[in-house]
Amino acid sequence: MFVSLRRTANENKETTVRLLIMGPPGAGKGTQAARIASRLGIPTISTGEIFRSNITRGTALGREVKRIIDAGDYVPDAITEAIVAERLAEPDCAHGFLLDGFPRTLHQADALDRMLGVTGLDAVLSLVIDLEPLVARMLLRAKIENRPDDNEATIRHRMDVYTQATEPLLSHYRDAGVLVEVDGNGSIDEVSERLLAALDTAKV
Ligand code: AMP
């Protein structure tokens, strides 16, 4: 389905665009997701943000997931899938959405396929980025910010979890014919431009 990127937000409400952005931890997915979603006039659904907001508010869910997230592990599929199913049912998702950080496992990808039915996702944007400089940058930031989920062991663990559990999703979406790979190296503006150009080229 073609949705011109030149349209302004909230126009063309009859069209639907369902997107997913993927990339390793620290690749700038969240920043790019916010930019693309605002350009297309669709909501971003970030499971990481939903979890962080629950942790900040001290909800039962927040208390359940805090230790898992601080350790750099994945929240169990059943919890994560239920949250996304509930969020996708909200009215603002009726005309499309951009998923950021979900799915992260093949189990979650299958669950999403079932939630979306035959129409599925229009495109999966994959930020392709060199891992070594990325890890070096995250380690530097960890030193400066001293975040509990950002010490060296946790960063390396998050990368390993990503490689083992999430990278296989790229083949899943390549096989489905919806994978759009974009060079994720460079400045925030450069990467945004590439992502928007790739969506235009893919006629999403
Ligand atoms: P993010 O902001 O996307 O990097 O997510 C922060 C953390 O939340 C991750 O490191 C995971 O611990 C957890 N998380 C977010 N999304 C998922 C998901 N789809 N499945 C499991 N855990 C998740």
Side-chain angles (χ1 to χ4, degrees):
M1 175 181 323
F2 178 69
V3 179
S4 169
L5 295 172
R6 281 172 290 281
R7 75 186 172 132
T8 55
N10 297 320
E11 276 180 4
N12 294 354
K13 276 297 187 194
E14 72 281 4
T15 54
T16 300
V17 59
R18 296 159 148 188
L19 303 174
L20 159 64
I21 186 162
M22 290 184 63
K29 273 188 310 335
T31 307
Q32 297 298 342
R35 287 180 161 211
I36 294 167
S38 117
R39 185 75 169 259
L40 298 179
I42 52 176
T44 306
I45 299 171
S46 158
T47 39
E49 253 171 44
I50 294 172
F51 291 139
R52 276 189 293 279
S53 139
N54 275 273
I55 291 170
T56 307
R57 287 180 286 123
T59 66
L61 171 68
R63 288 195 299 277
E64 193 173 353
V65 301
K66 182 175 185 333
R67 230 170 326 153
I68 301 172
I69 291 178
D70 285 350
D73 288 319
Y74 282 174
V75 174
D77 287 334
I79 296 177
T80 313
E81 289 161 13
I83 282 168
V84 173
E86 208 173 282
R87 181 67 188 86
L88 287 178
E90 285 178 31
D92 65 327
C93 292
H95 299 286
F97 48 79
L98 171 58
L99 287 163
D100 161 21
F102 178 93
R104 261 177 158 99
T105 65
L106 284 168
H107 192 281
Q108 293 177 12
D110 287 342
L112 179 66
D113 288 346
R114 282 194 300 277
M115 287 177 219
L116 298 182
V118 281
T119 43
L121 290 165
D122 295 301
V124 175
L125 294 163
S126 165
L127 290 175
V128 182
I129 190 155
D130 304 329
L131 285 192
E132 271 320 303
L134 182 66
V135 171
R137 234 185 10 251
M138 290 175 79
L139 292 176
L140 187 70
R141 196 182 67 188
K143 244 196 205 154
I144 297 166
E145 295 179 4
N146 197 23
R147 284 172 30 170
D149 64 341
D150 251 1
N151 63 56
E152 175 161 359
T154 312
I155 288 168
R156 297 211 180 274
H157 181 60
R158 285 171 75 202
M159 283 296 172
D160 289 345
V161 172
Y162 170 81
T163 308
Q164 282 162 28
T166 305
E167 251 182 12
L169 269 65
L170 296 175
S171 311
H172 174 83
Y173 290 119
R174 191 176 291 115
D175 292 348
V178 287
L179 190 70
V180 178
E181 291 186 295
V182 174
D183 180 3
N185 299 290
S187 72
I188 292 175
D189 283 345
E190 282 166 350
V191 176
S192 300
E193 284 307 313
R194 278 185 215 129
L195 285 166
L196 290 167
L199 281 174
D200 237 357
T201 306
K203 301 227 181 309
V204 168

